[in-house]
Amino acid sequence: MDDAGRYRVMVVDDNAFIRAGLTSALEATDDIEVVGEAADGHRAQELAWRLMPDVVLLDVRMPRTDGVSAAAALSRISRVIMLTQVEEPDVVLSAVRNGAVGYLVHNTFTVDELAEAIRDTVRHRAHPLSHAASAALIDAARTDRATAPAADPAERRARFGLSAREVQVMDLIVRGHANQDIAAKLFLTEKTVKNYINRIYAKLGAPNRATAIVTWIGMPPQG
């Protein structure tokens, strides 16, 4: 964030109309500033080192360097949210493995929801996944381990050391529920749910929601 408390965002997409639309929409908020734009992953990396944005909104399919490849370098500079039309399971999984902390599919969120996702990501309060991306992660994990014996739930719980309540929370995360929904279903406060999730991340060795999902399903991310 800058000295005025604004969230600094870089928009990366090879479609100039999408970049312009995102920039216009985000800058209409009171606390988000688009500090840079790029049309490919290579240029995005050059700009990111100079601009040091809080969040990079990153498309997948672009010339020169695609978004999934660029995410590996950009995630060392900034927090990366994939923002794309692509929702193939292998692409979602590769982006998460390369350091993306969120994956949003166009036309599944409002401008207000995107703005809140940016704020929550910077504050380390959430890792935004559209329902399509969450489902893709789960499908990819299940496909990858299809030939392996299924992990017994009790063995999985023992392996990670999760409490019974933490298992309930994690299972709802895997089903794509947001923190607010989890709180309502388990009759907890949202703050309590966040505390459970932080403990789950620590036990699973997962830095974010997406990685926690694939780890819990049974396929730890590479690298």
Side-chain angles (χ1 to χ4, degrees), residues 157-170:
R157 175 182 169 185
R159 174 187 173 191
F160 294 112
L162 268 61
S163 69
R165 180 62 95 183
E166 288 165 351
V167 169
Q168 289 179 318
V169 171
M170 190 63 227

Side-chain angles (χ1 to χ4, degrees), residues 127-147:
H127 300 274
L129 289 172
S130 68
H131 288 298
S134 181
L137 280 176
I138 295 165
D139 289 345
R142 286 174 174 163
T143 299
D144 195 79
R145 67 177 186 140
T147 58

Side-chain angles (χ1 to χ4, degrees), residues 3-197:
D3 293 339
R6 290 172 298 188
Y7 300 90
R8 306 175 74 254
V9 175
M10 187 166 74
V11 176
V12 185
D13 196 298
D14 62 332
N15 187 315
F17 291 103
I18 291 177
R19 292 200 311 273
L22 287 170
T23 296
S24 176
L26 291 173
E27 292 202 328
T29 67
D30 294 330
D31 58 352
I32 296 176
E33 177 187 7
V34 176
V35 296
E37 299 180 24
D40 63 77
H42 180 77
R43 178 58 175 159
Q45 292 172 56
E46 294 178 341
L47 281 177
W49 281 113
R50 178 162 58 86
L51 300 172
M52 301 300 288
D54 298 309
V55 173
V56 175
L57 301 179
L58 185 61
D59 189 23
V60 168
R61 290 177 180 151
M62 297 180 293
R64 294 217 288 174
T65 303
D66 66 88
V68 172
S69 299
L74 289 169
S75 63
R76 294 194 290 268
I77 307 167
S78 176
R79 295 177 70 75
V80 174
I81 299 175
M82 308 305 295
L83 191 61
T84 179
Q85 299 280 4
V86 180
E87 53 188 279
E88 284 91 338
D90 59 333
V91 175
V92 178
L93 191 60
S94 294
V96 170
R97 284 173 164 169
N98 279 2
V101 298
Y103 198 109
L104 296 175
V105 177
H106 284 299
N107 302 318
T108 65
F109 56 86
T110 65
V111 172
D112 287 343
E113 288 170 340
L114 176 59
E116 194 59 28
I118 290 168
R119 298 180 189 110
D120 285 347
T121 296
V122 176
R123 296 169 186 160
H124 298 264
R125 295 197 316 194
H127 300 274
L129 289 172
S130 68
H131 288 298
S134 181
L137 280 176
I138 295 165
D139 289 345
R142 286 174 174 163
T143 299
D144 195 79
R145 67 177 186 140
T147 58
D152 179 82
E155 291 178 1
R156 186 168 53 184
R157 175 182 169 185
R159 174 187 173 191
F160 294 112
L162 268 61
S163 69
R165 180 62 95 183
E166 288 165 351
V167 169
Q168 289 179 318
V169 171
M170 190 63 227
D171 284 342
L172 289 171
I173 288 174
V174 167
R175 293 174 195 169
H177 293 288
N179 291 1
Q180 185 176 6
D181 297 331
I182 295 171
K185 286 180 178 295
L186 298 182
F187 302 101
L188 302 170
T189 67
E190 194 168 347
K191 181 178 180 181
T192 299
V193 169
K194 290 175 182 177
N195 290 337
Y196 275 123
I197 290 173

